[in-house]
Amino acid sequence: MSIVNNEVPNNKILLKRITVDPNDKDQIENFNKNFITNHVFNQKVEIILPIKKTANEENEEEDNEENKKSQSKQKTKGSLLSQASSSYLLVEGEFTNYFQEQSITPLPSSINQNQNQNQNQNQNQNQNQNQNQNQTNQLLVINTKQLYYQIETTLDLLLSHEFIDKYIKNGGFYALSQLNFIDSGNVVAFLPNSKIILNVEKETYQELGLVGKASVFRNLQRYIITLDTKSKEFQRGSKSYTRLIWALKDRLSSINLICFYQKSDSNQLQSIDFPQGVKVKPLYNQPTQQITKLRLPTLNIINENLNNQLINNNNNNNNNNNINNNNNNNNNNNNNNNNNNNNNNNNNNNNNNNNNKDIKLIYNDFINEWIEVLGFASLGLNLDQVKDFEIGNSLLSMCPISTKCFKATQKGFISNSFILELIEKIKLMISKGLIEYGVLNIFGFADTPISWNSIEHNYLYGGENDQSLLILPNNQFISSNLIGTYDYYC
């Protein structure tokens, strides 16, 4: 794995090149862990797939262009599927289930809200509970890959022993506070490893009286409190647990969170039975999909740029070997020539340092230009070639002809299992020869208390903790991680 770190104004870009053996389970697990599952909170996922045209389709497009010139333009109604050629149909058909609109049966604001009825009305209460159970079963049947909840609650309700034992302690419960900012408010996150992180202001920290540590980024102004639901402090009847519940109930106001629950042995998200008093609103991720034309580099152009870096690195290694050989030969020369030999070695070292700087500059140029091209594509901008000189992106100027692409997004609260499924589907499309390569963009929440590997995250000019994954043939991946100025690990 090769790694290049490139700092740009107000953020940093870390580019990694990886090859994963599909038959090696350890490599697959390490890749999934280091590049996908270690990033817990994902707000949006996007795929951009340049569709590979067959020879017949290229001929058909040329004939269509000639026919368009001889015929008047008429607007036609119908879906993209009816107007696209076979390869576009196949690609769009493969991803329809992942990016289709979902409708949900209207639910009460809380599944348990009817439990507050008068206990004397037993018959009505039983009917309401049966209706709620039927609605919950409907949630389990429909496509729950895209389902999450928006809740309003106090933290003490979510830390009841019943809720902890059922959803949190065994892992798989994801939750992140909303409407609060990481640099000027109190932020809460439930991690899938049964831990809870509170990133709070100094005043709140002092009022809670809980043990924590000062923030790395805003020392003595913000504090981090980590709660482990598997620790002895959460044992039933313990004084520490009683003190914790009192503090969260008495000293913290209600908060808004988005959350979902996923068992470790399942790819499907599960419905949640929240405690009484929690206001619940089930939501779906918002999908979009389209076939559009974008100016993206071909696979040959990408490989050419990447291979140039490898050639330069190999030449650099050869230079190092030559210097070592020269040093060994110089040691065998007469003492009268030592000064000349030292001068030659210094010159070689200087040349080697200059080569390193040149290689880094070339690589940095490629990283910046590639990220810029992805930005244009993500915004759906099919730029006119006339503007190439004004933009000054050499990578963009290498692809003057637009390519038909399948572009789709999901926005809301995205699970890592959904992202892993997309990666496998993109790899399948590449192996079938339907697409040249695939781009998968993952956007994290700006106001999350953690980023990759549960390392503290913060906000300066921006709260970027995003990733772009370029999926190439032969199980090669190029990961471009965009992180904020305050973040020190990615």
Side-chain angles (χ1 to χ4, degrees):
M1 179 177 68
S2 58
I3 300 176
V4 176
N5 188 14
N6 179 33
E7 295 196 15
V8 294
N10 299 334
N11 54 46
K12 292 172 279 190
I13 302 173
L14 191 67
L15 186 139
K16 306 175 186 177
R17 184 174 185 177
I18 319 101
T19 301
V20 180
D21 185 353
N23 298 319
D24 191 327
K25 292 183 179 180
D26 291 336
Q27 284 192 22
I28 295 174
E29 289 180 0
N30 289 334
F31 171 80
N32 293 344
K33 178 181 178 181
N34 294 328
F35 293 92
I36 305 299
T37 58
N38 268 349
H39 193 261
V40 179
F41 301 114
N42 307 304
Q43 182 179 20
K44 179 181 175 182
V45 62
E46 174 184 56
I47 60 172
I48 303 173
L49 311 177
I51 300 174
K52 186 183 292 185
K53 292 182 291 187
T54 63
N56 292 334
E57 289 169 347
E58 290 179 353
N59 294 332
E60 288 178 3
E61 285 192 357
E62 293 178 0
D63 294 338
N64 291 335
E65 290 296 330
E66 293 178 359
N67 293 334
K68 285 181 181 179
K69 294 179 181 179
S70 60
Q71 297 177 357
S72 60
K73 295 183 178 179
Q74 295 181 351
K75 292 184 178 180
T76 59
K77 295 182 179 180
S79 66
L80 288 172
L81 292 174
S82 62
Q83 301 175 33
S85 56
S86 59
S87 57
Y88 310 139
L89 269 170
L90 290 172
V91 172
E92 190 172 23
E94 289 287 344
F95 287 93
T96 296
N97 291 334
Y98 295 92
F99 297 96
Q100 64 182 353
E101 290 281 352
Q102 298 288 336
S103 60
I104 187 167
T105 303
L107 291 176
S109 59
S110 173
I111 290 178
N112 296 291
Q113 67 175 8
N114 291 327
Q115 292 180 356
N116 291 328
Q117 292 181 349
N118 194 321
Q119 293 181 357
N120 294 329
Q121 299 174 346
N122 293 329
Q123 184 176 359
N124 293 334
Q125 185 176 9
N126 291 333
Q127 290 177 355
N128 290 330
Q129 288 178 349
N130 291 334
Q131 290 176 358
N132 292 335
Q133 185 63 42
N134 291 334
Q135 291 167 341
T136 303
N137 291 335
Q138 289 177 0
L139 287 177
L140 291 170
V141 172
I142 58 181
N143 183 5
T144 53
K145 291 179 183 177
Q146 305 170 23
L147 175 69
Y148 67 100
Y149 295 90
Q150 178 181 320
I151 64 174
E152 181 179 351
T153 181
T154 53
L155 279 182
D156 61 287
L157 294 179
L158 297 183
L159 294 185
S160 65
H161 282 296
E162 292 75 13
F163 194 81
I164 289 176
D165 293 340
K166 189 174 182 180
Y167 298 106
I168 300 178
K169 186 176 290 186
N170 294 327
F173 183 75
Y174 299 72
L176 180 65
S177 59
Q178 301 290 286
L179 307 179
N180 288 339
F181 304 115
I182 193 65
D183 56 343
S184 60
N186 299 320
V187 177
V188 180
F190 287 72
L191 307 187
N193 60 0
S194 73
K195 292 184 179 181
I196 305 164
I197 294 180
L198 288 78
N199 189 316
V200 298
E201 297 175 316
K202 180 179 179 180
E203 294 78 5
T204 305
Y205 180 72
Q206 292 174 340
E207 290 178 358
L208 289 174
L210 302 176
V211 178
K213 62 178 182 179
S215 168
V216 174
F217 304 109
R218 299 178 182 272
N219 192 20
L220 302 182
Q221 296 300 318
R222 297 191 65 84
Y223 287 84
I224 312 298
I225 302 171
T226 303
L227 306 175
D228 187 354
T229 58
K230 294 182 179 180
S231 65
K232 296 180 179 180
E233 296 178 352
F234 277 80
Q235 289 181 351
R236 293 178 182 270
S238 66
K239 293 183 179 180
S240 57
Y241 175 77
T242 304
R243 170 67 174 77
L244 171 66
I245 296 300
W246 172 83
L248 296 177
K249 183 178 182 179
D250 188 68
R251 303 301 172 90
L252 276 184
S253 58
S254 62
I255 58 174
N256 289 277
L257 297 102
I258 53 175
C259 57
F260 63 80
Y261 174 63
Q262 182 178 21
K263 294 180 179 180
S264 58
D265 57 348
S266 173
N267 291 330
Q268 296 288 333
L269 306 186
Q270 308 293 319
S271 63
I272 303 175
D273 185 15
F274 291 96
Q276 182 179 349
V278 178
K279 297 180 180 179
V280 184
K281 183 180 180 180
L283 297 174
Y284 271 111
N285 295 320
Q286 298 301 311
T288 65
Q289 59 174 315
Q290 61 177 324
I291 290 178
T292 184
K293 283 192 172 183
L294 298 170
R295 289 178 62 190
L296 290 174
T298 63
L299 181 62
N300 291 333
I301 293 175
I302 292 175
N303 285 332
E304 182 180 348
N305 278 273
L306 293 174
N307 290 335
N308 285 340
Q309 313 312 320
L310 291 179
I311 292 172
N312 288 329
N313 286 334
N314 290 334
N315 290 337
N316 183 46
N317 292 332
N318 291 333
N319 290 334
N320 288 334
N321 292 332
N322 292 333
I323 291 173
N324 291 332
N325 291 332
N326 289 334
N327 287 335
N328 292 331
N329 293 330
N330 289 335
N331 289 333
N332 296 327
N333 292 334
N334 294 328
N335 292 331
N336 294 333
N337 295 325
N338 281 343
N339 291 332
N340 293 331
N341 290 332
N342 289 332
N343 291 333
N344 291 333
N345 289 333
N346 289 332
N347 291 331
N348 287 332
N349 288 329
N350 290 332
N351 291 332
N352 185 45
N353 291 332
N354 291 332
N355 288 335
N356 286 334
K357 292 179 180 179
D358 292 340
I359 292 170
K360 186 174 181 179
L361 288 174
I362 293 172
Y363 226 148
N364 287 348
D365 287 341
F366 170 74
I367 295 172
N368 290 331
E369 291 183 347
W370 170 246
I371 295 298
E372 189 174 42
V373 169
L374 286 184
F376 294 143
S378 182
L379 294 173
L381 299 178
N382 188 24
L383 298 175
D384 195 303
Q385 193 177 356
V386 178
K387 296 183 178 180
D388 285 359
F389 180 77
E390 180 182 347
I391 296 173
N393 189 309
S394 61
L395 193 60
L396 185 66
S397 63
M398 294 180 187
C399 43
I401 301 176
S402 300
T403 303
K404 277 193 175 182
C405 301
F406 177 77
K407 183 172 177 286
T409 63
Q410 282 279 9
K411 185 176 181 180
F413 197 8
I414 314 298
S415 66
N416 284 323
S417 62
F418 181 76
I419 295 174
L420 291 173
E421 286 188 41
L422 290 180
I423 293 174
E424 292 302 317
K425 182 64 71 173
I426 292 173
K427 289 166 60 179
L428 180 62
M429 294 296 97
I430 294 175
S431 66
K432 289 183 176 181
L434 295 176
I435 59 176
E436 282 199 289
Y437 57 86
V439 175
L440 189 144
N441 297 325
I442 305 169
F443 302 88
F445 290 90
D447 291 297
T448 171
I450 61 169
S451 185
W452 281 270
N453 272 350
S454 298
I455 302 297
E456 184 182 347
H457 170 70
N458 213 289
Y459 194 104
L460 185 59
Y461 298 105
E464 298 87 353
N465 60 117
D466 309 327
Q467 180 182 21
S468 178
L469 196 64
L470 172 60
I471 305 171
L472 300 170
N474 301 321
N475 295 290
Q476 292 192 56
F477 301 87
I478 306 295
S479 173
S480 306
N481 299 69
L482 180 65
I483 61 177
T485 307
Y486 264 174
D487 288 344
Y488 62 95
Y489 179 84
C490 178

